[in-house]
Amino acid sequence: MPRPILVEFAEIFRWLQRNPTRLPPWVNQKLLGEERGHRVYRIRVSDWRGVDVFDGDAVRFTRFRPRKDIGYGALPKS
């Protein structure tokens, strides 16, 4: 992953640590669906995507990939 993308994701991680349910408006986040009662989100940074699961207490990232390789097919739809 290119360094500028890492830096931006690091900033998003700091926001998620403070408040996992409320990100600043400059973060491009999309709810993808639910998996076993947990919300699955996609966060976009340039051409990279991070997919995370929020269980009500913690955020767990499951993948980071370039847009062309992310593979949304296996993710829940809502």
Side-chain angles (χ1 to χ4, degrees):
M1 183 180 299
R3 178 128 178 92
I5 303 300
L6 282 172
V7 169
E8 193 161 339
F9 270 119
E11 178 65 22
I12 292 169
F13 296 158
R14 285 190 285 279
W15 279 93
L16 286 169
Q17 286 176 336
R18 285 183 232 134
N19 188 348
T21 61
R22 189 171 188 138
L23 288 172
W26 56 266
V27 176
N28 188 322
Q29 181 184 47
K30 179 181 180 183
L31 177 63
L32 297 177
E34 291 199 13
E35 178 182 273
R36 291 183 230 124
H38 302 147
R39 291 182 174 216
V40 179
Y41 292 94
R42 181 271 294 146
I43 293 178
R44 182 178 79 180
V45 174
S46 185
D47 283 340
W48 284 78
R49 305 297 186 263
V51 175
D52 67 87
V53 178
F54 179 61
D55 67 6
D57 292 322
V59 175
R60 177 178 46 92
F61 276 84
T62 60
R63 61 183 89 170
F64 292 97
R65 297 201 177 111
R67 180 179 177 264
K68 64 182 178 67
D69 299 330
I70 193 70
Y72 291 118
L75 299 173
K77 307 283 189 274
S78 62

